[in-house]
mmCIF file with all atom_site columns, all heavy atoms in Angstrom:
data_model
loop_
_atom_site.group_PDB
_atom_site.id
_atom_site.type_symbol
_atom_site.label_atom_id
_atom_site.label_alt_id
_atom_site.label_comp_id
_atom_site.label_asym_id
_atom_site.label_entity_id
_atom_site.label_seq_id
_atom_site.pdbx_PDB_ins_code
_atom_site.Cartn_x
_atom_site.Cartn_y
_atom_site.Cartn_z
_atom_site.occupancy
_atom_site.B_iso_or_equiv
_atom_site.pdbx_formal_charge
_atom_site.auth_seq_id
_atom_site.auth_comp_id
_atom_site.auth_asym_id
_atom_site.auth_atom_id
_atom_site.pdbx_PDB_model_num
ATOM 1   N N   . GLU A 1 27 ? 6.363  4.775   0.854  1.00 97.00 ? 38 GLU A N   1
ATOM 2   C CA  . GLU A 1 27 ? 7.170  4.942   1.980  1.00 97.00 ? 38 GLU A CA  1
ATOM 3   C C   . GLU A 1 27 ? 7.442  3.562   2.768  1.00 97.00 ? 38 GLU A C   1
ATOM 4   O O   . GLU A 1 27 ? 8.124  3.645   3.731  1.00 97.00 ? 38 GLU A O   1
ATOM 5   C CB  . GLU A 1 27 ? 6.330  5.616   3.085  1.00 97.00 ? 38 GLU A CB  1
ATOM 6   C CG  . GLU A 1 27 ? 5.496  6.783   2.585  1.00 97.00 ? 38 GLU A CG  1
ATOM 7   C CD  . GLU A 1 27 ? 6.295  8.113   2.373  1.00 97.00 ? 38 GLU A CD  1
ATOM 8   O OE1 . GLU A 1 27 ? 6.364  8.815   3.333  1.00 97.00 ? 38 GLU A OE1 1
ATOM 9   O OE2 . GLU A 1 27 ? 6.801  8.445   1.322  1.00 97.00 ? 38 GLU A OE2 1
ATOM 10  N N   . ASP A 1 28 ? 6.888  2.565   2.189  1.00 98.00 ? 39 ASP A N   1
ATOM 11  C CA  . ASP A 1 28 ? 7.095  1.191   2.895  1.00 98.00 ? 39 ASP A CA  1
ATOM 12  C C   . ASP A 1 28 ? 8.498  0.474   2.847  1.00 98.00 ? 39 ASP A C   1
ATOM 13  O O   . ASP A 1 28 ? 8.797  -0.349  3.590  1.00 98.00 ? 39 ASP A O   1
ATOM 14  C CB  . ASP A 1 28 ? 6.095  0.177   2.386  1.00 98.00 ? 39 ASP A CB  1
ATOM 15  C CG  . ASP A 1 28 ? 4.549  0.571   2.928  1.00 98.00 ? 39 ASP A CG  1
ATOM 16  O OD1 . ASP A 1 28 ? 4.607  1.339   4.003  1.00 98.00 ? 39 ASP A OD1 1
ATOM 17  O OD2 . ASP A 1 28 ? 3.558  0.243   2.431  1.00 98.00 ? 39 ASP A OD2 1
ATOM 18  N N   . TYR A 1 29 ? 9.351  1.156   1.893  1.00 97.00 ? 40 TYR A N   1
ATOM 19  C CA  . TYR A 1 29 ? 10.860 0.717   1.923  1.00 97.00 ? 40 TYR A CA  1
ATOM 20  C C   . TYR A 1 29 ? 11.317 0.923   3.370  1.00 97.00 ? 40 TYR A C   1
ATOM 21  O O   . TYR A 1 29 ? 11.979 0.048   3.850  1.00 97.00 ? 40 TYR A O   1
ATOM 22  C CB  . TYR A 1 29 ? 11.530 1.435   0.916  1.00 97.00 ? 40 TYR A CB  1
ATOM 23  C CG  . TYR A 1 29 ? 12.958 1.159   0.693  1.00 97.00 ? 40 TYR A CG  1
ATOM 24  C CD1 . TYR A 1 29 ? 13.330 0.031   -0.103 1.00 97.00 ? 40 TYR A CD1 1
ATOM 25  C CD2 . TYR A 1 29 ? 13.887 1.910   1.447  1.00 97.00 ? 40 TYR A CD2 1
ATOM 26  C CE1 . TYR A 1 29 ? 14.739 -0.301  -0.184 1.00 97.00 ? 40 TYR A CE1 1
ATOM 27  C CE2 . TYR A 1 29 ? 15.279 1.527   1.333  1.00 97.00 ? 40 TYR A CE2 1
ATOM 28  C CZ  . TYR A 1 29 ? 15.629 0.598   0.464  1.00 97.00 ? 40 TYR A CZ  1
ATOM 29  O OH  . TYR A 1 29 ? 17.036 0.170   0.519  1.00 97.00 ? 40 TYR A OH  1
ATOM 30  N N   . GLU A 1 30 ? 11.117 2.045   3.929  1.00 97.00 ? 41 GLU A N   1
ATOM 31  C CA  . GLU A 1 30 ? 11.668 2.438   5.167  1.00 97.00 ? 41 GLU A CA  1
ATOM 32  C C   . GLU A 1 30 ? 10.912 1.714   6.453  1.00 97.00 ? 41 GLU A C   1
ATOM 33  O O   . GLU A 1 30 ? 11.432 1.538   7.600  1.00 97.00 ? 41 GLU A O   1
ATOM 34  C CB  . GLU A 1 30 ? 11.537 3.971   5.500  1.00 97.00 ? 41 GLU A CB  1
ATOM 35  C CG  . GLU A 1 30 ? 12.440 4.828   4.666  1.00 97.00 ? 41 GLU A CG  1
ATOM 36  C CD  . GLU A 1 30 ? 11.837 5.216   3.280  1.00 97.00 ? 41 GLU A CD  1
ATOM 37  O OE1 . GLU A 1 30 ? 10.730 4.767   3.142  1.00 97.00 ? 41 GLU A OE1 1
ATOM 38  O OE2 . GLU A 1 30 ? 12.706 5.617   2.465  1.00 97.00 ? 41 GLU A OE2 1
ATOM 39  N N   . LYS A 1 31 ? 9.764  1.174   6.101  1.00 98.00 ? 42 LYS A N   1
ATOM 40  C CA  . LYS A 1 31 ? 9.028  0.461   7.208  1.00 98.00 ? 42 LYS A CA  1
ATOM 41  C C   . LYS A 1 31 ? 9.147  -0.992  7.236  1.00 98.00 ? 42 LYS A C   1
ATOM 42  O O   . LYS A 1 31 ? 8.369  -1.672  7.860  1.00 98.00 ? 42 LYS A O   1
ATOM 43  C CB  . LYS A 1 31 ? 7.435  0.915   7.018  1.00 98.00 ? 42 LYS A CB  1
ATOM 44  C CG  . LYS A 1 31 ? 7.288  2.468   7.256  1.00 98.00 ? 42 LYS A CG  1
ATOM 45  C CD  . LYS A 1 31 ? 5.839  2.840   7.161  1.00 98.00 ? 42 LYS A CD  1
ATOM 46  C CE  . LYS A 1 31 ? 5.770  4.377   7.323  1.00 98.00 ? 42 LYS A CE  1
ATOM 47  N NZ  . LYS A 1 31 ? 4.413  4.828   7.159  1.00 98.00 ? 42 LYS A NZ  1
ATOM 48  N N   . GLY A 1 32 ? 9.998  -1.526  6.401  1.00 96.00 ? 43 GLY A N   1
ATOM 49  C CA  . GLY A 1 32 ? 10.327 -3.017  6.592  1.00 96.00 ? 43 GLY A CA  1
ATOM 50  C C   . GLY A 1 32 ? 9.646  -3.895  5.599  1.00 96.00 ? 43 GLY A C   1
ATOM 51  O O   . GLY A 1 32 ? 9.580  -5.110  5.854  1.00 96.00 ? 43 GLY A O   1
ATOM 52  N N   . PHE A 1 33 ? 9.176  -3.347  4.482  1.00 97.00 ? 44 PHE A N   1
ATOM 53  C CA  . PHE A 1 33 ? 8.427  -4.189  3.559  1.00 97.00 ? 44 PHE A CA  1
ATOM 54  C C   . PHE A 1 33 ? 9.236  -5.293  3.050  1.00 97.00 ? 44 PHE A C   1
ATOM 55  O O   . PHE A 1 33 ? 8.837  -6.504  2.974  1.00 97.00 ? 44 PHE A O   1
ATOM 56  C CB  . PHE A 1 33 ? 7.803  -3.242  2.330  1.00 97.00 ? 44 PHE A CB  1
ATOM 57  C CG  . PHE A 1 33 ? 7.275  -4.132  1.218  1.00 97.00 ? 44 PHE A CG  1
ATOM 58  C CD1 . PHE A 1 33 ? 6.277  -4.958  1.390  1.00 97.00 ? 44 PHE A CD1 1
ATOM 59  C CD2 . PHE A 1 33 ? 7.938  -4.035  0.013  1.00 97.00 ? 44 PHE A CD2 1
ATOM 60  C CE1 . PHE A 1 33 ? 5.683  -5.691  0.287  1.00 97.00 ? 44 PHE A CE1 1
ATOM 61  C CE2 . PHE A 1 33 ? 7.438  -4.812  -1.052 1.00 97.00 ? 44 PHE A CE2 1
ATOM 62  C CZ  . PHE A 1 33 ? 6.324  -5.636  -0.839 1.00 97.00 ? 44 PHE A CZ  1
ATOM 63  N N   . LEU A 1 34 ? 10.592 -5.009  2.610  1.00 97.00 ? 45 LEU A N   1
ATOM 64  C CA  . LEU A 1 34 ? 11.380 -5.951  1.950  1.00 97.00 ? 45 LEU A CA  1
ATOM 65  C C   . LEU A 1 34 ? 11.853 -7.028  3.052  1.00 97.00 ? 45 LEU A C   1
ATOM 66  O O   . LEU A 1 34 ? 12.085 -8.067  2.652  1.00 97.00 ? 45 LEU A O   1
ATOM 67  C CB  . LEU A 1 34 ? 12.704 -5.332  1.219  1.00 97.00 ? 45 LEU A CB  1
ATOM 68  C CG  . LEU A 1 34 ? 12.206 -4.384  0.150  1.00 97.00 ? 45 LEU A CG  1
ATOM 69  C CD1 . LEU A 1 34 ? 13.457 -3.713  -0.360 1.00 97.00 ? 45 LEU A CD1 1
ATOM 70  C CD2 . LEU A 1 34 ? 11.472 -5.164  -0.927 1.00 97.00 ? 45 LEU A CD2 1
ATOM 71  N N   . ASP A 1 35 ? 12.032 -6.537  4.323  1.00 96.00 ? 46 ASP A N   1
ATOM 72  C CA  . ASP A 1 35 ? 12.444 -7.462  5.388  1.00 96.00 ? 46 ASP A CA  1
ATOM 73  C C   . ASP A 1 35 ? 11.401 -8.640  5.513  1.00 96.00 ? 46 ASP A C   1
ATOM 74  O O   . ASP A 1 35 ? 11.633 -9.681  5.787  1.00 96.00 ? 46 ASP A O   1
ATOM 75  C CB  . ASP A 1 35 ? 12.522 -6.662  6.738  1.00 96.00 ? 46 ASP A CB  1
ATOM 76  C CG  . ASP A 1 35 ? 13.681 -5.650  6.728  1.00 96.00 ? 46 ASP A CG  1
ATOM 77  O OD1 . ASP A 1 35 ? 14.529 -5.803  5.754  1.00 96.00 ? 46 ASP A OD1 1
ATOM 78  O OD2 . ASP A 1 35 ? 13.593 -4.782  7.400  1.00 96.00 ? 46 ASP A OD2 1
ATOM 79  N N   . VAL A 1 36 ? 10.059 -8.094  5.405  1.00 97.00 ? 47 VAL A N   1
ATOM 80  C CA  . VAL A 1 36 ? 9.071  -9.152  5.550  1.00 97.00 ? 47 VAL A CA  1
ATOM 81  C C   . VAL A 1 36 ? 9.133  -10.132 4.526  1.00 97.00 ? 47 VAL A C   1
ATOM 82  O O   . VAL A 1 36 ? 8.932  -11.275 4.718  1.00 97.00 ? 47 VAL A O   1
ATOM 83  C CB  . VAL A 1 36 ? 7.729  -8.490  5.604  1.00 97.00 ? 47 VAL A CB  1
ATOM 84  C CG1 . VAL A 1 36 ? 6.471  -9.470  5.412  1.00 97.00 ? 47 VAL A CG1 1
ATOM 85  C CG2 . VAL A 1 36 ? 7.412  -7.764  6.895  1.00 97.00 ? 47 VAL A CG2 1
ATOM 86  N N   . LEU A 1 37 ? 9.452  -9.771  3.260  1.00 97.00 ? 48 LEU A N   1
ATOM 87  C CA  . LEU A 1 37 ? 9.570  -10.687 2.126  1.00 97.00 ? 48 LEU A CA  1
ATOM 88  C C   . LEU A 1 37 ? 10.623 -11.705 2.315  1.00 97.00 ? 48 LEU A C   1
ATOM 89  O O   . LEU A 1 37 ? 10.575 -12.836 1.620  1.00 97.00 ? 48 LEU A O   1
ATOM 90  C CB  . LEU A 1 37 ? 9.686  -9.931  0.814  1.00 97.00 ? 48 LEU A CB  1
ATOM 91  C CG  . LEU A 1 37 ? 8.542  -9.047  0.452  1.00 97.00 ? 48 LEU A CG  1
ATOM 92  C CD1 . LEU A 1 37 ? 8.789  -8.392  -0.992 1.00 97.00 ? 48 LEU A CD1 1
ATOM 93  C CD2 . LEU A 1 37 ? 7.090  -9.824  0.426  1.00 97.00 ? 48 LEU A CD2 1
ATOM 94  N N   . THR A 1 38 ? 11.655 -11.466 3.237  1.00 95.00 ? 49 THR A N   1
ATOM 95  C CA  . THR A 1 38 ? 12.765 -12.419 3.322  1.00 95.00 ? 49 THR A CA  1
ATOM 96  C C   . THR A 1 38 ? 12.263 -13.706 3.946  1.00 95.00 ? 49 THR A C   1
ATOM 97  O O   . THR A 1 38 ? 12.921 -14.756 3.846  1.00 95.00 ? 49 THR A O   1
ATOM 98  C CB  . THR A 1 38 ? 13.834 -11.734 4.166  1.00 95.00 ? 49 THR A CB  1
ATOM 99  O OG1 . THR A 1 38 ? 13.485 -11.506 5.461  1.00 95.00 ? 49 THR A OG1 1
ATOM 100 C CG2 . THR A 1 38 ? 14.518 -10.605 3.460  1.00 95.00 ? 49 THR A CG2 1
ATOM 101 N N   . VAL A 1 39 ? 11.058 -13.779 4.596  1.00 95.00 ? 50 VAL A N   1
ATOM 102 C CA  . VAL A 1 39 ? 10.576 -15.147 5.070  1.00 95.00 ? 50 VAL A CA  1
ATOM 103 C C   . VAL A 1 39 ? 10.173 -16.059 3.950  1.00 95.00 ? 50 VAL A C   1
ATOM 104 O O   . VAL A 1 39 ? 10.089 -17.319 3.999  1.00 95.00 ? 50 VAL A O   1
ATOM 105 C CB  . VAL A 1 39 ? 9.274  -14.861 6.128  1.00 95.00 ? 50 VAL A CB  1
ATOM 106 C CG1 . VAL A 1 39 ? 9.594  -14.168 7.317  1.00 95.00 ? 50 VAL A CG1 1
ATOM 107 C CG2 . VAL A 1 39 ? 8.035  -14.396 5.287  1.00 95.00 ? 50 VAL A CG2 1
ATOM 108 N N   . LEU A 1 40 ? 10.142 -15.452 2.658  1.00 95.00 ? 51 LEU A N   1
ATOM 109 C CA  . LEU A 1 40 ? 9.778  -16.227 1.446  1.00 95.00 ? 51 LEU A CA  1
ATOM 110 C C   . LEU A 1 40 ? 10.938 -16.812 0.789  1.00 95.00 ? 51 LEU A C   1
ATOM 111 O O   . LEU A 1 40 ? 11.098 -17.982 0.462  1.00 95.00 ? 51 LEU A O   1
ATOM 112 C CB  . LEU A 1 40 ? 9.018  -15.261 0.426  1.00 95.00 ? 51 LEU A CB  1
ATOM 113 C CG  . LEU A 1 40 ? 7.533  -15.130 0.656  1.00 95.00 ? 51 LEU A CG  1
ATOM 114 C CD1 . LEU A 1 40 ? 7.094  -13.908 -0.176 1.00 95.00 ? 51 LEU A CD1 1
ATOM 115 C CD2 . LEU A 1 40 ? 6.823  -16.202 0.394  1.00 95.00 ? 51 LEU A CD2 1
#
Side-chain angles (χ1 to χ4, degrees):
E38 322 272 276
D39 290 340
Y40 180 86
E41 288 83 7
K42 295 183 181 177
F44 171 63
L45 298 176
D46 297 338
V47 166
L48 295 185
T49 60
V50 299
L51 279 165

